[in-house]
Amino acid sequence: MILYFADRKMNIIGQASTELPQGLTVCEDLKTEDTETGVAIFECKLPFDEKTRSDVEQCAEVGNYILRSHDAENEFYTIIETEIDTKNQEVSVYAEDAGLDLLNEICGEYAADKAYNIAFYINKFAKDTGFEIGINEAKSLTRQLSWDGEATATERIASVATQFGDFEISYSFKIDGLIVTRKYINIYKKRGSDKGVQLRLNKEIDSIVITKSIANLATALKCEGGTPDDAEKPITLKGYTYDDGDIYIGSDGVMRSRTACNKWSRYVWNLEPNQLDGYKGNIIRTYSYDTTSQKELCNRAITELKKIREIEVNYEIDISKLPEDVKIGDRVNIIDEAGELFLSTRILKLETS
C-alpha cells in the first residue's frame, strides 16, 4: 500500500509505503467504515528517525490530504489530528474522508417552508464545500424537515438521509492521476447488495463473539412528535387508530405489541402483587420523532417497537479472509456449524488493515 500526501493546494509533498524498502514507511494502518455516518476513517503511524523526522512531520501536518489507492478504489482523506511521539519516534495520524469543510462547518437551526427533495437539503448543507451529489436513490421523494440546535454539516447530512426514510450516505472521489477532480455525496436506500457469500468459522472466520441483551427491551411505546405551528404541545398518537392484530394503539395513545406483552409482561409471574387491571404488565419506553404527522409518527414507532420487542443480539465477527468483492453494506452468510448458527447478515461496520 502506498500513501501520497498533499498540501492544502493539492501539491504532492511526499509518499509512504507499507512494503517499499526505501522512503517513509506506514504501519498499524486501519480503515473504518460504517453505514450510520457514511464517513470513512483512516488511521496509521509513520515511524521516523533523525533524518526523516522533518519529512514525516511535513507530510502529516493537520489539514493536509492523504490519497490512497487500494483494491482498485481511490480514497481521499483529510488529516484531522496528529500526535508526535518523540520517545517511540512515530507520528500517529487520524484522517476522515468527509473533508474539513463538512467536519468543521456548523449548521444552525433550520425549518423548511414546504416539502423539498433530498438534493435541496444536501446542497444547502454542503454549500461551498466542493461536494456535489453523485448517486441519488431518493430522487422521487420530498419532505418538509426542520432542525433545532446546531450540528456539523456531516451530522446534518446524515440526519437528512435518515429523515427521508433511513437512507444511507457515502463519500467518494474521482481522481485523475494524483489530482482530485470531483467530490461526491452518494445517497443510497441501502448500501451494498446480497453477495451470496458464505463465511465459515475456522475457515474465513477466526472467531465469533455473540452478545445478547434485554437492556433496551420494551413491549410498548409512549410516542411524541414535533409541535405544530398552531399548537403549544407536541403531537402524540392519542386519537390515532392502528391495529394489525399484534401492534395496536390504545385509547391512551400508547402503542403496544400483544405478542411481546405475552412473552415479556411483568405479570407472567402470577404472584405479582401490584397488577393493574387493563395494564397487562407492559414495559413502556418513550419514543420521539420530529414530525407533525401522526401517520409518520406511527410508522416510525412501529419500526422501533419491532426492533426493541425482542432480545437484542449482536455478532462481532473476526474475518481472516474477506472476498475482494465484499464491501460495507453487503449481505453475507455467516456459518458456525458446531454452534448451529446460520446467519444472513449485513455488514454495518468494517475495519480493514
Side-chain angles (χ1 to χ4, degrees), residues 206-335:
D206 277 341
S207 66
I208 302 175
V209 178
I210 304 173
T211 305
K212 298 182 180 182
S213 174
I214 57 171
N216 298 314
L217 187 141
T219 65
L221 290 175
K222 184 177 181 180
C223 306
E224 183 176 278
T227 304
D229 293 336
D230 57 350
E232 296 181 356
K233 295 182 179 180
I235 66 167
T236 67
L237 291 180
K238 193 169 185 178
Y240 190 80
T241 302
Y242 181 87
D243 191 335
D244 62 11
D246 177 18
I247 295 176
Y248 68 99
I249 299 173
S251 60
D252 56 359
V254 175
M255 178 179 287
R256 297 175 172 86
S257 167
R258 294 183 177 94
T259 57
C261 186
N262 289 338
K263 183 176 182 179
W264 296 104
S265 169
R266 284 190 285 267
Y267 298 169
V268 170
W269 180 44
N270 293 328
L271 299 180
E272 165 62 45
N274 298 310
Q275 296 190 25
L276 300 176
D277 292 339
Y279 184 71
K280 298 183 180 180
N282 273 286
I283 302 168
I284 302 177
R285 295 179 67 93
T286 59
Y287 175 76
S288 61
Y289 183 76
D290 189 12
T291 179
T292 56
S293 165
Q294 283 187 309
K295 181 179 179 180
E296 179 76 4
L297 181 60
C298 177
N299 290 337
R300 293 283 178 170
I302 290 171
T303 300
E304 179 69 10
L305 185 54
K306 286 181 178 180
K307 182 171 65 175
I308 66 173
R309 66 181 177 176
E310 298 290 348
I311 296 173
E312 181 180 322
V313 184
N314 290 305
Y315 303 87
E316 184 174 338
I317 314 295
D318 187 0
I319 301 173
S320 58
K321 185 179 180 181
L322 185 69
E324 292 184 359
D325 62 337
V326 175
K327 307 296 182 185
I328 184 74
D330 286 343
R331 182 169 289 278
V332 297
N333 299 314
I334 304 296
I335 299 175

Side-chain angles (χ1 to χ4, degrees), residues 9 40 42 48 67 72 74 90 123 136 144 165 182 193 210 255 267 309 313 322 325 339 348:
K9 295 182 180 180
F42 181 75
F48 62 79
L67 288 87
N74 294 317
E90 62 186 15
N123 289 330
N136 184 358
Q144 184 173 358
R182 307 290 285 270
S193 59
I210 304 173
M255 178 179 287
Y267 298 169
R309 66 181 177 176
V313 184
L322 185 69
D325 62 337
L348 301 181

